[in-house]
Amino acid sequence: MKILVCINKTPDTTSKIAFKNNNTAFDDSGVQWIINPYDEWYSLVRAIELKEKDPSIIIHLVTVGSADCDPIIRKAFALGGDEGFRINIDSTDSSFIAAQIADLANKNQYDIVFTGKESIDYNSSAIGGIIAELIDAPYISLATLFELNGNTATITREIEGGEEVAEVSLPLVVSCQKGMAEQRIPNMRGIMAARTKPLNVIEPIAQENFTSIINFELPPAKAGVKLVAADNVAELIRLLHEEAKAF
Amino acid sequence: MSVLIFIEHSEGLIKKSAHEVLTYGAKLAAQLGTTAEGLVLGTVSENLTTLGKYGVTKINQINNESLNTIDSKLYAATIAEAVTLTGASVIIFSHTPTGKSIAARVSAKLKAGLVSGAAALPDTSNGFIVRKSVFSSKAFANISINTDIKVISVNPNSISAVIGNGEATLNQLTINVGSPSIKIIAVNKITGEIPLTEADIVVSGGRGLKGPENWGVLLDLAKALGAATACSRPVGDAHWRPHHEHVGQTGVQVAPNLYIALGISGAIQHLAGVNRSKIMVVINKDPEAPFFKSADYGIVGDLFEIVPQMTAEIKRIKGIA
Ligand SMILES: Cc1cc2nc3c(=O)[nH]c(=O)nc-3n(C[C@H](O)[C@H](O)[C@H](O)COP(=O)(O)OP(=O)(O)OC[C@H]3O[C@@H](n4cnc5c(N)ncnc54)[C@H](O)[C@@H]3O)c2cc1C
């Protein structure tokens, strides 16, 4: 069995969000890069847990991006994974990125492709669905539990106002969120092993960017908080009711 | 050239988020000088022609047993055929769990550019540029879709439904619907609660509540307001409240009209999931809590004293005994 885990490099959750070049590009000066939390905590760790149960499972990691993504793949290797692929091109278009991953998936014939439910930078929730369509596989989004029984996966997914349990035959694509696995911290052995795991750099396939970012904007600044004294709760409720018309 | 809007429904009823995207699609069609049509997959008990009041001229329906399972593969194939039959060039979804599972697949099938999580109507004055929130609502990106066919999924609560007095015609589409690639073996709906992402008001609790046994004050306030309940990540992690209530960067993202935070410090990762709320109210005993910097209204004080008074005052205004 072969599992592909999609890994994305994102700014740390506490990063200051600022833009440069006339607001056309993200200003990454001083930004710490991390593995997208959904990719790390949920999809990668769940893949590792499956391998712990069945050591014959092979885990591949893939990222689409230039050489500055290598440290992110190494970080992921410290947690687990057998072999990595970096598809050597930068893009912000979901269709473009997913097409690159789908090409690798078609070549290597994975049984499971895991993605995070979204990336915390572009928040599109799109890569998994596009990969699934391009490799013609079922897709379960927003998964919170994933169990494997032979060639069938039993997956719990979020739906509006609840959850649903689905049975799906492999191969399939799953986007992962909280519940799938518990966050882990790499140990020394993992960190040492990460250095020598094979990381293959492959060139992208020809594909158009269907979308392009024109520019970025920061939300308008808030007017500032209106504080009400603790002994005047009725005034707060009056403001919410009459001024803000919030209920 | 038309705009086609995918209409979500649940237990026979059209969802609130669908009313919003109907309005979004109708406004976009007016902007483009074309018509807006709806697409319903499966059975609903509402009279679909009344959806004309949101500005759509026609509702297309595909009714087939297999569509009772929301399978992204089957849905994408079916919707793509409907797009061909109706000649639509812009397809609109809600950016909800269902929309997230389908919109991207549809875009791949149609080789269409996708913007998911749109925050406003596209700017079509020069090209086709869609604004979406990025960096967990800390910024917006204006994105140009460069393909002939375009797919957009719209963030819930980013546009209000507008009601006019039109009526739509109903058109049954005949499409060969395949069978689902997944089998649903259980559905657990949280009954008697307002779904977090659809709620107008959300009351949320953090570590300041000290323990699960203290949630009564929060639940009373939520009940008086008809609000959904949420929590911070540590509260979810400690199992004081169920996982699905955890809001923030790594939890559910909400954008209600009113968000009330009780005993939550306002860490950047928490704010990332709630800062699209229209009005934010913070009750915290620490005047230095970062949440006060992003809030609209606040009280510095002990939530255990303040919240019951809030509840009582709201009940008084609403005339609830
Ligand atoms: C990668 C990453 C992702 C994360 N994602 C999320 C996320 O999605 N959502 C999230 O919420 N957090 C997230 N966090 C955690 C976040 O950084 C904070 O630790 C968390 O939000 C704090 O939760 P809290 O406000 O409930 O608790 P605390 O920070 O402990 O704050 C409790 C607050 O309650 C106040 N208080 C105490 N007693 C009272 C009282 N009697 N009356 C009034 N006020 C009182 C205190 O003054 C304090 O401000 C993430 C962290 C990381 C590193």
Side-chain angles (χ1 to χ4, degrees):
Chain A
M1 170 148 333
K2 287 204 290 190
I3 302 178
L4 180 65
V5 179
C6 302
I7 298 287
N8 187 20
K9 171 184 123 207
T10 56
D12 179 76
T13 51
T14 55
S15 306
K16 185 173 179 312
I17 303 301
F19 302 101
K20 59 182 183 185
N21 305 343
N22 224 352
N23 288 330
T24 56
F26 176 60
D27 182 359
D28 59 4
S29 49
V31 166
Q32 292 264 20
W33 296 98
I34 58 167
I35 308 171
N36 181 40
Y38 294 106
D39 304 350
E40 177 185 342
W41 302 351
Y42 308 125
S43 39
L44 176 58
V45 176
R46 188 67 192 123
I48 294 167
E49 287 173 354
L50 292 169
K51 188 182 168 91
E52 283 166 352
K53 267 200 201 155
D54 174 1
S56 73
I57 291 176
I58 295 166
I59 301 174
H60 284 179
L61 311 182
V62 62
T63 194
V64 178
S66 44
D68 52 5
C69 295
D70 287 347
I72 290 298
I73 290 283
R74 294 280 171 212
K75 263 192 192 174
F77 271 158
L79 285 163
D82 300 298
E83 192 172 340
F85 295 85
R86 179 169 63 78
I87 304 174
N88 189 21
I89 190 156
D90 285 310
S91 170
T92 54
D93 179 51
S94 307
S95 310
F96 182 95
I97 296 166
Q100 304 300 333
I101 299 173
D103 184 63
L104 180 73
N106 270 329
K107 282 188 188 124
N108 287 346
Q109 297 288 309
Y110 298 100
D111 302 279
I112 305 167
V113 178
F114 279 137
T115 74
K117 89 158 182 182
E118 64 182 52
S119 70
I120 61 166
D121 47 7
Y122 293 103
N123 308 104
S124 286
S125 257
I127 299 290
I130 301 175
I131 296 172
E133 187 58 36
L134 296 176
I135 67 171
D136 196 27
Y139 171 53
I140 298 285
S141 54
L142 311 180
T144 56
L145 285 172
F146 182 97
E147 293 302 335
L148 205 52
N149 331 297
N151 214 23
T152 307
T154 307
I155 309 167
T156 305
R157 69 171 172 187
E158 176 195 337
I159 56 172
E160 283 90 334
E163 55 183 35
E164 209 168 60
V165 185
E167 251 176 30
V168 193
S169 305
L170 308 187
L172 85 170
V173 181
V174 182
S175 87
C176 310
Q177 63 171 336
K178 188 164 183 156
M180 282 289 274
E182 292 291 336
Q183 185 182 355
R184 288 189 182 186
I185 294 164
N187 57 27
M188 208 51 210
R189 225 179 97 225
I191 295 167
M192 296 307 286
R195 296 190 190 157
T196 52
K197 287 182 182 173
L199 172 51
N200 311 292
V201 178
I202 50 184
E203 290 309 312
I205 55 162
Q207 161 77 22
E208 274 168 76
N209 279 296
F210 291 166
T211 64
S212 44
I213 295 181
I214 304 294
N215 57 15
F216 294 95
E217 282 169 49
L218 291 171
K222 280 257 179 185
V225 61
K226 227 181 226 187
L227 285 181
V228 175
D231 58 6
N232 199 1
V233 174
E235 173 61 5
L236 173 70
I237 302 303
R238 189 195 67 78
L239 286 168
L240 293 180
H241 188 56
E242 292 173 14
E243 184 180 86
K245 301 198 182 334
F247 76 94
Chain B
M1 252 303 282
S2 59
V3 175
L4 188 67
I5 303 140
F6 177 73
I7 301 175
E8 285 185 32
H9 54 90
S10 159
E11 276 139 38
L13 300 176
I14 308 292
K15 288 189 191 164
K16 176 180 163 231
S17 57
H19 299 160
E20 294 172 3
V21 282
L22 280 161
T23 300
Y24 185 99
K27 285 193 172 176
L28 173 60
Q31 219 172 288
L32 295 170
T34 179
T35 51
E37 300 184 10
L39 176 65
V40 173
L41 266 52
T43 346
V44 283
S45 41
E46 278 182 56
N47 178 358
L48 290 173
T49 60
T50 63
L51 293 178
K53 65 180 183 238
Y54 297 104
V56 291
T57 51
K58 194 198 268 183
I59 301 290
N60 301 285
Q61 186 175 27
I62 305 166
N63 222 333
N64 184 298
E65 272 288 291
S66 300
L67 297 171
N68 293 338
T69 303
I70 301 184
D71 169 29
S72 64
K73 192 164 183 249
L74 179 64
Y75 267 54
T78 312
I79 294 168
E81 276 214 37
V83 170
T84 314
L85 283 180
T86 56
S89 60
V90 186
I91 304 98
I92 312 282
F93 292 86
S94 305
H95 198 53
T96 52
T98 301
K100 284 176 189 173
S101 73
I102 308 167
R105 271 202 99 125
V106 170
S107 78
K109 190 137 215 133
L110 298 169
K111 297 191 171 34
L114 166 75
V115 171
S116 50
L121 279 166
D123 175 353
T124 51
S125 57
N126 179 16
F128 196 103
I129 298 170
V130 193
R131 190 178 164 85
K132 95 181 236 24
S133 59
V134 289
F135 296 102
S136 308
S137 311
K138 286 175 222 156
F140 294 102
N142 294 310
I143 299 181
S144 163
I145 306 185
N146 307 325
T147 47
D148 290 341
I149 299 187
K150 300 164 176 73
V151 178
I152 303 172
S153 69
V154 183
N155 259 342
N157 287 343
S158 43
I159 183 169
S160 317
V162 177
I163 297 177
N165 44 19
E167 196 162 304
T169 56
L170 185 59
N171 178 38
Q172 297 295 335
L173 288 179
T174 351
I175 286 178
N176 244 336
V177 178
S179 41
S181 64
I182 65 173
K183 192 168 129 206
I184 303 299
I185 54 172
V187 181
N188 309 314
K189 288 250 179 175
I190 306 147
T191 48
E193 277 181 42
I194 301 156
L196 201 45
T197 48
E198 292 201 7
D200 273 332
I201 305 180
V202 174
V203 179
S204 189
R207 226 155 26 185
L209 270 99
K210 307 282 192 299
E213 67 281 5
N214 295 330
W215 238 258
V217 286
L218 185 152
L219 297 177
D220 287 345
L221 175 62
K223 193 165 169 227
L225 284 167
T229 52
C231 67
S232 68
R233 177 169 166 225
V235 166
D237 284 352
H239 304 286
W240 293 1
R241 297 294 296 169
H243 272 332
H244 64 256
E245 283 199 1
H246 154 201
V247 292
Q249 185 146 31
T250 48
V252 180
Q253 274 101 47
V254 295
N257 272 322
L258 175 61
Y259 182 80
I260 303 182
L262 309 176
I264 300 176
S265 57
I268 190 161
Q269 299 92 355
H270 184 84
L271 293 175
V274 304
N275 59 11
R276 286 193 296 115
S277 311
K278 290 218 174 70
I279 305 281
M280 289 201 279
V281 178
V282 172
I283 312 294
N284 196 306
K285 67 176 184 190
D286 175 10
E288 301 298 321
F291 219 140
F292 284 116
K293 290 205 181 67
S294 328
D296 300 282
Y297 298 94
I299 293 184
V300 179
D302 184 348
L303 75 92
F304 293 106
E305 285 169 23
I306 292 163
V307 177
Q309 294 180 52
M310 291 171 72
T311 309
E313 185 61 13
I314 289 161
K315 282 185 172 169
R316 192 186 64 75
I317 291 179
K318 288 182 136 186
I320 314 172

